[in-house]
């Protein structure tokens, strides 16, 4: 039993080290994207891996009637939404789904926030991110209405009927729409996972010490 416990703790430590490596690498790519020369998104760009985690700029017009509200987004202990609006690319039917930022939820959950969208052609700066891929749900139900719990590319493409690019664009900068665009902590998440790995190693050491003491008492 002691040996099994030690092996389990070592396995968990190795898992945390793997997560530190993968999340740390992604964090470095995301930070590099913020200062890199932006790419210009176009309807011809469909290779997800070449678009992902890049600074980007796009020109087009908002489709405000298709705005979505991504639910249960907390900002400084306040409940709210992320506001996602498709932007139709200039001279094209293709769109990119733009996460425009956070807004507080109204007092009544039956109400939705009022979002202002500039008319005509606009130019948006941001960084590209992936659609949601794996999410834990007890029962998968298709999204309905304007409030969604998750935004997956396949669901969005099917329900919206739009020709959407394979990445989201997190808008950066301010344009007077009242939305908060604070896209996360500058701290590297790898540090937290290194701490978890150290904790599991301590547990493995404690289990080994206990097993040794129990063996000597026999």
């Amino acid at each position: 039993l002691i040996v099994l416990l030690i092996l389990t703790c070592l396995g968990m430590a190795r898992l945390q080290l793997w997560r530190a490596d993968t999340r740390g690498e992604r964090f470095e790519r995301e930070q590099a994207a913020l200062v890199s020369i932006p790419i210009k998104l176009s309807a011809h760009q469909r290779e997800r891996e070449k678009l992902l985690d890049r600074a980007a700029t796009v020109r087009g017009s908002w489709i405000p009637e298709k705005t979505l509200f991504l639910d249960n987004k907390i900002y400084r202990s306040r409940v709210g939404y992320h506001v996602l609006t498709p932007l139709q690319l200039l001279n094209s039917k293709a769109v990119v789904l733009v996460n425009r930022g956070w807004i507080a939820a109204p007092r009544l959950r039956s109400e939705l926030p009022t979002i202002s969208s500039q008319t005509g052609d606009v130019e948006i700066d941001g960084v590209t991110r992936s659609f949601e891929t794996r999410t834990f749900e007890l029962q998968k139900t298709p999204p309905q209405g304007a409030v969604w719990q998750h935004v997956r590319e396949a669901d969005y493409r099917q329900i919206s009927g739009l020709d959407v690019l394979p990445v989201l664009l997190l808008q950066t900068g301010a344009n007077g729409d009242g939305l908060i665009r604070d896209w996360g902590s500058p701290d590297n998440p790898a540090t937290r996972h290194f701490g978890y790995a150290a904790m599991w190693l301590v547990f493995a050491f404690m289990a080994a010490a206990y097993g040794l003491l129990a063996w000597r008492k026999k």
Side-chain angles (χ1 to χ4, degrees):
L1 182 61
I2 292 296
V3 170
L4 179 60
L5 180 59
I6 293 172
L7 292 176
T8 300
C9 292
L10 292 177
M12 293 300 297
R14 184 172 182 177
L15 173 63
Q16 291 300 328
L17 290 174
W18 174 78
R19 295 196 67 186
D21 184 51
T22 54
R23 295 195 66 184
E25 182 180 351
R26 180 176 178 83
F27 174 82
E28 291 174 359
R29 290 202 311 269
E30 291 174 352
Q31 293 302 304
L34 296 176
V35 296
S36 64
I37 298 174
I39 61 173
K40 291 186 177 180
L41 296 180
S42 72
H44 305 293
Q45 296 167 311
R46 302 290 175 151
E47 295 185 51
R48 177 181 175 277
E49 295 305 321
K50 291 184 178 180
L51 295 175
L52 195 59
D53 297 328
R54 301 284 301 274
T57 182
V58 62
R59 191 168 184 82
S61 56
W62 294 116
I63 310 178
E65 65 273 15
K66 288 188 176 291
T67 293
L68 300 178
F69 296 89
L70 195 55
D71 203 1
N72 297 318
K73 297 300 178 181
I74 309 298
Y75 181 74
R76 295 184 177 177
S77 301
R78 296 183 65 190
V79 178
Y81 304 98
H82 278 179
V83 180
L84 281 69
T85 304
L87 185 80
Q88 184 170 352
L89 278 59
L90 190 65
N91 301 322
S92 172
K93 291 184 178 181
V95 305
V96 59
L97 187 58
V98 181
N99 189 332
R100 301 170 62 184
W102 181 90
I103 191 169
R107 184 175 60 86
L108 296 177
R109 294 288 283 173
S110 58
E111 299 177 358
L112 290 177
T114 300
I115 308 298
S116 62
S117 300
Q118 183 179 343
T119 59
D121 291 343
V122 295
E123 186 170 86
I124 302 298
D125 297 322
V127 290
T128 58
R129 293 290 185 264
S130 174
F131 279 86
E132 292 184 61
T133 52
R134 293 178 297 176
T135 54
F136 175 76
E137 292 178 297
L138 293 176
Q139 182 179 5
K140 183 177 179 180
T141 56
Q144 294 180 348
V147 179
W148 290 27
Q149 300 296 323
H150 309 285
V151 179
R152 305 180 183 89
E153 182 182 354
D155 290 339
Y156 183 76
R157 190 180 297 276
Q158 179 181 3
I159 295 173
S160 70
L162 297 173
D163 179 18
V164 64
L165 297 186
V167 291
L168 292 169
L169 183 69
L170 302 188
Q171 184 179 352
T172 56
N175 65 355
D177 56 13
L179 300 174
I180 296 174
R181 288 180 269 276
D182 183 355
W183 299 122
S185 167
D187 297 331
N188 192 329
T191 304
R192 182 169 66 254
H193 290 290
F194 282 129
Y196 293 154
M199 177 187 69
W200 283 108
L201 289 174
V202 169
F203 288 161
F205 174 78
M206 291 171 62
Y210 175 79
L212 182 60
L213 289 174
W215 177 75
R216 286 185 173 179
K217 288 182 178 180
K218 289 186 177 181

